[in-house]
Amino acid sequence: QVQLVESGGGLVQPGGSLTLSCTGSGTTFFITYMGWYRQAPGKQRELVATVSANGKTNYADSVKGRFTISGDTNTKVTYLQMNSLNREDTAVYYCNAGSVNPSGDTSWYWGQGTQVTVSS
């Protein structure tokens, strides 16, 4: 099992920046990727960005050029640098990790979420 804990959320003005951190603990098989999702009030949870074990990154179109994901799946740490924030970025941000066991089965892990509010 892996436990993920996010930190770094808060209140920021439009145009500002925040960096979210996610630290994992516990043991599991090979973690293939870590990522960030977000859920705004009344909306479905959506993908923000992912980083795979080989370092490949992936971003939602809405955050490309503004957000940067980094991390190390071996140490179960990931960061999300968020720049040029706007009100549409207001949401609860969740850390996510996926691991694969020797049988090829994937397990998914989620953090408890951290609130990001963009407001003047």
Side-chain angles (χ1 to χ4, degrees):
Q1 291 293 320
V2 173
Q3 295 77 42
L4 301 174
V5 178
E6 305 98 334
S7 62
L11 174 64
V12 62
Q13 292 186 342
S17 299
L18 276 178
T19 300
L20 304 183
S21 301
C22 174
T23 301
S25 61
T27 58
T28 187
F29 295 104
F30 180 62
I31 291 183
T32 58
Y33 95 108
M34 297 186 73
W36 292 91
Y37 287 70
R38 66 186 181 186
Q39 187 166 18
K43 294 186 177 181
Q44 290 188 334
R45 191 173 297 189
E46 63 176 2
L47 170 71
V48 176
T50 62
V51 57
S52 64
N54 62 9
K56 183 177 179 181
T57 57
N58 180 52
Y59 296 92
D61 288 342
S62 60
V63 306
K64 282 181 181 177
R66 300 188 299 122
F67 291 11
T68 302
I69 188 171
S70 61
D72 185 344
T73 58
N74 290 320
T75 58
K76 298 188 285 290
V77 174
T78 183
Y79 304 96
L80 186 67
Q81 172 67 44
M82 305 184 294
N83 299 324
S84 301
L85 286 161
N86 57 57
R87 290 178 174 80
E88 289 69 37
D89 296 316
T90 295
V92 178
Y93 284 70
Y94 296 91
C95 180
N96 173 257
S99 69
V100 179
N101 66 18
S103 299
D105 300 320
T106 300
S107 296
W108 304 102
Y109 304 96
W110 293 91
Q112 81 288 350
T114 185
Q115 177 70 47
V116 172
T117 302
V118 184
S119 175
S120 55

